[in-house]
Amino acid sequence: MEGLKVSKANLVVYIHPSKSRQVSNAVLRELSSMLFAYNEIFDGIVLAYDVNSFDKCARILPGIYPYFGVKLKVNMLLFSPKPDMLLEGKVVKLTHESIHVVVLGFASAVITEKDIRKEFVYRTKHGQDVYASKSHKRHVIKVGTMIRFSVKSFDEEILHIYGSLVPDNTGSIHWLDKNLEVVSLSDRSTKKRENEGQPLMSEKDAIDGEPSSFDTVQKLKHSKKQKVRQES
Amino acid sequence: MGKVHGMSGQEELPEMETTDVSDLQLIYSVRDTLVEVTLGVRENYDELVRYLHPKRNPSAEEFAALVTTLRGLSGAVSYIDPAHHDALLFALSRLSLWNYATVVMDALLELIVSLAVSNGMYIDWCLEMLVKHFVPPIYLFDFLKETNGIEKKNKVLSRVHAALEQISDLVPLAPLRLSPIVVQKMPKSCKMSEPEIVMYVENMLRLESGAIGEIVGGTMLPALVDRLIELDVGIGWDGNLQEDVKCIFELELEEIAEFADEDENIFNMSTTDMLNRNNLQGNKVAEQLDSLIVLIFLHLESCQSSGRIAEVFDILLKSFERTVLNAYKSKFTQFVMFYACALDPEGCGVKFAMVLTEMFGSDVNPPITRMSAVAYLASYLSRAKFLSSALVASVIQRLVDWCFSYCMLHDVDMNPQAHQVFYSGCQAIMYLLCFRMRSLVDVPRLRMQLIKMPLEPMLKHKLSPLKVCLPSVVEEFLRQAKAARLFMTSESFVFNDLLESDLSKAFGGTDRLDMFFPFDPCLLKKSQSYLKPHFVHWSRVRTTYDTNDNDEDSDSGSEASDDDFVDGNAKDSIDDDMIMGVEAGLDFDADLNKMSITPKSMKYGFVTQMERGMRMPTRI
């Protein structure tokens, strides 16, 4: 899955003088207030932070309230979906008109009928609504399926993703992985990706639009070792 | 709107459970209609909107058309565009679940849920629409009291809450957007009638205990407490203490009369009291507040039975620290904390005492917070029947230690303003001991602990807390201390029954924290009945000089018996519950006339009441 990155940030957190006795608590509270909201400076949603170190010396601001600035080095896990990135999520609702997906357990995504490639047709199988592929009998998307989809747009305010199943390398992850014969590797990485949310693909793949799964997996392995960390 | 119209015209209700094919056709036709608008063709669209307009007595056909339209729309939500379909959205917003049968309710809710999850920009609109249904239209309130009405209420509200949960499942961050909406839409007390606000709060509490409670609970309860505070301070008689002491006192008498079986209480009431009672019965704000507090009490009970009380208490405690603690003379809201503590004495009860003690002791807090905290602490420990004497002793120990070390550090003369925190600490200790001394001295271990405390050097210090604290408290304390032989005072204090002095006023500051006893008897009728079993009334307190074990006797007895300075009867069985003689049939009613006494300036001419044996300032 794309859209996740770990960034090293050098921050200055301003603390109210009344909190001077519990600086580290105040710092953490300040950082926590940034969670699960889009932040323009970081260009992404802060999912987690890890304070590496903070400066023992703080700068006191002149003024009526002498706020003091504490310098921090923080590792941030950021989620910033951009158009054409490939994301993964779980289908929570499926109707004729749309597929609703939850990504990473918090962001909702919707794929409307017009963004589902014609290969998929809506059917009711055993009383359950599904989108099934015409060309591959086993390629089925239903409630509970983990799917890979590409990002069409992203609403930063409400963290709502508009997705698309038009590219060929999108659809049920299970099916995609199996049919590209890299089952064992992908299965393992799928799980891990969900849990750890590491930066898994380079941006180039996403721009190219059609990286083969094999390529993806190779790159995943690569990036896992390197753990690309970007300065934000 | 040819297609939709054609279909809905032909279909009767049972036929609506149609096959997939016609459902799809319906969806496609609605979709086309919506798309046509963007091309400038509005005929069909206008007709579709017309179906949605609420009608007084819809015919079967209109009813069917409404349901069909709603179902069609839920299949075509992604084609709804606020730029082109504002009339449609407006018509939808005017539909009320309360006015329709379940078929329409389900269709409308399905549409709302689909709309909310289809596009980020509708989510707030949909949540607002659902929250709007927390309260029925005003004309339905009478109907809701009937059996059918209750059924209707359940039908609507269970659906609304289910829809909210459904949206949260599909859009996991929706609860974060819901909380501010619920708080914002909370009815303003001045505009809404009591049943309306009560129903809204019921729904807030239902959200708190529901599936999304984990996320919204942290907002609902504090918002509710803030509302209580708002109502609390809105009740006329707290604005100006000098003026209002009188009224509070009279309200108290009113409550006495409400609960009294004995006629004597009524007889004791003056004509003005009676008049006042009538006025206060009509006090809408007080009644509203009462109902809301009771709702929260019931909610706390349900939390306790589901094992969530500790979690809820933590949220309440935060909101207490933030708003209630420093609210100027909050009178009732704090009883929410009291009741939560009563439900879980071992956990919440002890925690509350500890948190307050720490707040007092921590010099990071501003003096006013520390003084409030210690006033709360003293009042809470005095009034809570469910707390053990050992806990009380340990808190007193901590307070005395703090005050004593303060004395050691400040070897200066009396100055009420400069050492207000110290004086408030001393007063708290004395007040607490007025209530608890007997229960402490009756347990040998605690008695030893009490005697070992450096009380005497503290009280006789140059800072002269005995001169500064409220004379009525000091007097009662000294009387009990003497009876318990805690120490002997060499100096004699003559207060002439003064309940306050210039010195106590000085340390209390403009907020008069010297006369702040937050857990004085709650005067709200309904809430009081919940608090009653957990609450200690002054009349029920056995003092160290009180030799009578029987409350009835001591109550009817003359003041003379109080002056026998005899140690508590060692034979008395003492348990942690320091109140004696609380039997089923013997409620506090009989003693209420002697019970909570608000210190008043003599200038108000309450000499008669004072003389009736009201010594303790228990009500401000």
Side-chain angles (χ1 to χ4, degrees), chain B residues 90-141:
Chain B
F90 177 70
L92 282 177
S93 70
R94 288 179 62 210
L95 288 176
S96 172
L97 296 175
W98 292 95
N99 295 332
Y100 292 100
T102 46
V103 188
V104 183
M105 282 185 211
D106 289 335
L108 181 57
L109 285 173
E110 192 193 331
L111 173 58
I112 292 175
V113 172
S114 310
L115 201 56
V117 300
S118 73
N119 190 327
M121 63 185 148
Y122 293 121
I123 186 136
D124 285 351
W125 186 87
C126 294
L127 293 175
E128 273 175 34
M129 176 102 180
L130 289 171
V131 169
K132 208 172 68 183
H133 286 99
F134 280 1
V135 179
I138 195 102
Y139 53 85
L140 276 179
F141 271 102

Side-chain angles (χ1 to χ4, degrees), chain A residues 18 20-21 36 92-93 96-97 100-102 105-110 112-114 122 124 155 157-160 162, chain B residues 20 24 28 31 74-79 113-114 116-121 123 169-173 177 363-364:
Chain A
S18 68
S20 57
R21 292 234 168 170
F36 291 105
V92 286
K93 186 183 175 186
H96 176 246
E97 199 198 20
H100 298 271
V101 184
V102 171
F106 79 95
S108 59
V110 64
T112 50
E113 186 206 2
K114 47 190 179 234
Y122 173 79
T124 309
D155 187 326
E157 198 205 339
I158 18 202
L159 314 184
H160 195 88
Y162 301 92
Chain B
D20 291 344
L24 275 184
Y28 283 131
R31 199 178 282 186
S74 23
V77 279
S78 60
Y79 290 84
V113 172
S114 310
V117 300
S118 73
N119 190 327
M121 63 185 148
I123 186 136
D169 284 344
L170 299 173
V171 184
L173 291 181
R177 305 190 75 81
D363 52 10
V364 226

Side-chain angles (χ1 to χ4, degrees), chain B residues 18-38:
Chain B
T18 45
T19 60
D20 291 344
V21 183
S22 64
D23 264 355
L24 275 184
Q25 276 175 349
L26 171 72
I27 289 168
Y28 283 131
S29 69
V30 171
R31 199 178 282 186
D32 293 344
T33 311
L34 292 174
V35 174
E36 274 173 10
V37 181
T38 56

Side-chain angles (χ1 to χ4, degrees), chain A residues 10 21 25 30 49 55 74 76 86 92 95 101 106 119 150 173 183 228:
Chain A
N10 296 318
R21 292 234 168 170
N25 271 352
E30 205 61 37
Y49 58 78
D55 218 330
V74 186
M76 299 235 178
L86 287 180
V92 286
T95 63
V101 184
F106 79 95
E119 181 193 335
S150 77
I173 294 176
V183 188
V228 185

Side-chain angles (χ1 to χ4, degrees), chain B residues 11-289:
Chain B
E11 280 177 2
E12 287 301 323
L13 260 180
E15 284 175 59
M16 285 213 237
E17 317 265 324
T18 45
T19 60
D20 291 344
V21 183
S22 64
D23 264 355
L24 275 184
Q25 276 175 349
L26 171 72
I27 289 168
Y28 283 131
S29 69
V30 171
R31 199 178 282 186
D32 293 344
T33 311
L34 292 174
V35 174
E36 274 173 10
V37 181
T38 56
L39 306 170
V41 183
R42 296 183 63 93
E43 260 177 49
N44 291 346
Y45 171 73
D46 289 342
E47 199 169 345
L48 184 129
V49 172
R50 216 171 302 139
Y51 292 136
L52 296 176
H53 282 307
K55 294 175 184 66
R56 264 185 191 273
N57 293 310
S59 63
E61 202 171 282
E62 283 168 333
F63 188 76
L66 176 63
V67 177
T68 318
T69 313
L70 290 174
R71 286 193 180 164
L73 282 170
S74 23
V77 279
S78 60
Y79 290 84
I80 299 177
D81 177 355
H84 295 104
H85 305 119
D86 51 341
L88 176 85
L89 291 171
F90 177 70
L92 282 177
S93 70
R94 288 179 62 210
L95 288 176
S96 172
L97 296 175
W98 292 95
N99 295 332
Y100 292 100
T102 46
V103 188
V104 183
M105 282 185 211
D106 289 335
L108 181 57
L109 285 173
E110 192 193 331
L111 173 58
I112 292 175
V113 172
S114 310
L115 201 56
V117 300
S118 73
N119 190 327
M121 63 185 148
Y122 293 121
I123 186 136
D124 285 351
W125 186 87
C126 294
L127 293 175
E128 273 175 34
M129 176 102 180
L130 289 171
V131 169
K132 208 172 68 183
H133 286 99
F134 280 1
V135 179
I138 195 102
Y139 53 85
L140 276 179
F141 271 102
D142 289 333
F143 166 67
L144 289 180
K145 287 174 193 148
E146 298 163 20
T147 331
N148 288 346
I150 294 169
E151 212 174 288
K152 176 102 188 173
K153 181 180 160 185
N154 288 339
K155 274 182 189 165
V156 174
L157 293 181
S158 62
R159 280 177 170 78
V160 169
H161 285 274
L164 287 172
E165 280 168 20
Q166 220 178 324
I167 293 178
S168 313
D169 284 344
L170 299 173
V171 184
L173 291 181
L176 287 181
R177 305 190 75 81
L178 177 66
S179 321
I181 292 175
V182 173
V183 174
Q184 206 184 354
K185 296 274 165 192
M186 200 165 168
K188 295 276 170 288
S189 50
C190 48
K191 287 183 192 158
M192 284 259 180
S193 66
E194 188 191 328
E196 279 173 289
I197 187 156
V198 166
M199 198 142 163
Y200 195 89
V201 169
E202 263 175 38
N203 281 291
M204 284 174 80
L205 293 173
R206 190 164 170 173
L207 276 181
E208 201 276 331
S209 55
I212 50 175
E214 213 179 319
I215 310 171
V216 297
T219 325
M220 295 296 122
L221 287 171
L224 213 47
V225 171
D226 289 354
R227 169 50 55 90
L228 293 184
I229 279 281
E230 216 172 279
L231 290 171
D232 199 332
V233 298
I235 294 174
W237 22 274
D238 83 319
N240 182 340
L241 181 83
Q242 294 301 319
E243 291 296 323
D244 294 336
V245 165
K246 188 177 159 192
C247 303
I248 298 171
F249 181 68
E250 286 175 356
L251 185 77
E252 203 165 335
L253 279 188
E254 176 238 329
E255 291 300 324
I256 296 163
E258 296 276 352
F259 284 84
D261 296 319
E262 281 84 354
D263 286 338
E264 57 170 309
N265 292 313
I266 312 250
F267 291 140
N268 283 342
M269 285 173 69
S270 64
T271 332
T272 45
D273 293 336
M274 295 297 276
L275 281 173
N276 224 311
R277 181 173 79 162
N278 293 339
N279 288 342
L280 284 157
Q281 269 174 344
N283 190 334
K284 290 260 164 54
V285 185
E287 281 170 19
Q288 226 175 58
L289 184 64

